[in-house]
């Protein structure tokens, strides 16, 4: 039996983590919108991954130990006849630190659902949910969403976004002279660099050319070198920056989603719309 497992330690309390994984209003912030979720043994619930009603999930509560263990089934009835079990375990390891472990057993039973339901995809998904989304909620890292409509084909806009010369053009509102090194390829390491030779290093986490690009930010750069993680960067490492392009009849909507620490929220709200307007200007 295949077992997917992911584990993280957070500066938090077991009560706050428990609320995050069991309170529908809190879950909606970082996880999924599951309006019929409650902690009664035998309670059945269902939800979709997005507002587009894609990938129906169903589950049934199997085990509840307050602030310690939550277990439920996890099924995809529209894609597979298989069934699996998800278990959340919370352990308080010291003052203000808790270890959260997620295990998902039985994913091999979804082999009839096609290539999107491989164990590797589940591992990637749960790692992102636990190590990034849950962490962001606990540490008050907010997801900011920006959008612009551009009268051009997605392929053309994509080339303007990631061509190294035009990248420096549309990102000028953030910092004139900003550039990046590395290649936009799955798994590639990217350095985002300011003229001061400081910046951030990130990985290409997921890529569908001309449609979707997700960066996973890792750490800071100083003098063009990757700086080891410290207490501050440990709290945001693994945050995502996502770009989605959706073309309809020659008009493309570009959506940018960023995980943002509290200190930079106002800055990003000011600068990101300006950057997207620059992208629109050079693309049309």
């Amino acid at each position: 039996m295949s077992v997917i497992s992911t584990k993280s330690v957070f500066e938090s309390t077991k009560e706050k983590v428990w609320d995050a994984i069991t309170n529908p209003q809190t879950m909606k912030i970082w996880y999924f919108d599951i309006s019929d979720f409650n902690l009664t043994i035998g309670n059945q619930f269902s939800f979709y991954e997005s507002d587009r009603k894609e990938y129906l999930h169903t589950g049934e509560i199997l085990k509840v130990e307050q602030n310690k263990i939550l277990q439920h089934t996890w099924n995809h009835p529209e894609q597979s006849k298989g069934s699996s079990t998800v278990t959340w375990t919370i352990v308080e390891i010291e003052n203000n630190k808790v270890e959260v472990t997620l295990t998902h057993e039985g994913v091999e039973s979804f082999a009839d659902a096609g290539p999107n339901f491989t164990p590797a995809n589940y591992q990637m998904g749960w790692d992102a949910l636990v190590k990034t989304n849950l962490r962001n909620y606990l540490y008050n890292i907010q997801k900011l969403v920006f959008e612009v409509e551009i009268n051009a084909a997605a392929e053309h806009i994509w080339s303007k976004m990631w061509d190294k010369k035009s990248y420096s053009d549309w990102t000028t509102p953030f910092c004139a002279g900003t550039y990046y090194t590395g290649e936009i390829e799955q798994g590639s390491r990217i350095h985002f660099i300011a003229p001061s030779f400081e910046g951030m290093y990130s990985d290409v986490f997921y890529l569908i050319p001309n449609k979707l690009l997700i960066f996973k930010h890792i750490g800071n750069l100083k003098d063009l070198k990757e700086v080891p993680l410290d207490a501050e960067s440990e709290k945001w490492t693994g945050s995502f920056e996502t770009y989605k392009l959706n073309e309809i009849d020659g008009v493309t909507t570009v959506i940018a989603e960023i995980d943002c620490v509290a200190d930079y929220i106002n800055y990003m709200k000011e600068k990101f719309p300006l950057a997207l307007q620059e992208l629109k200007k050079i693309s049309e």
Side-chain angles (χ1 to χ4, degrees), residues 12-74:
S12 188
T13 65
K14 60 187 179 189
E15 290 81 8
K16 186 171 184 179
V17 174
W18 183 255
D19 179 78
I21 67 172
T22 61
N23 182 335
Q25 293 306 310
T26 307
M27 295 159 73
K28 188 176 180 179
I29 297 171
W30 71 273
Y31 188 49
F32 297 108
D33 185 1
I34 315 178
S35 58
D36 55 354
F37 185 94
N38 69 65
L39 291 176
T40 305
I41 300 297
N43 174 65
Q44 298 183 0
F45 58 89
S46 62
F47 64 97
Y48 288 94
E49 283 192 9
S50 70
D51 294 336
R52 297 191 299 272
K53 303 296 184 182
E54 293 179 328
Y55 298 119
L56 174 66
H57 298 60
T58 62
E60 179 179 340
I61 302 295
L62 301 177
K63 184 176 183 180
V64 176
E65 292 186 25
Q66 185 81 13
N67 299 327
K68 292 182 179 180
I69 297 174
L70 170 66
Q71 186 178 77
H72 56 77
T73 59
W74 178 282

Side-chain angles (χ1 to χ4, degrees), residues 1-5 83-86 103-109 119:
M1 177 182 291
S2 296
V3 179
I4 304 302
S5 181
S83 182
S84 64
T85 302
V86 167
T103 57
H104 191 171
E105 301 176 83
V107 297
E108 73 280 357
S109 71

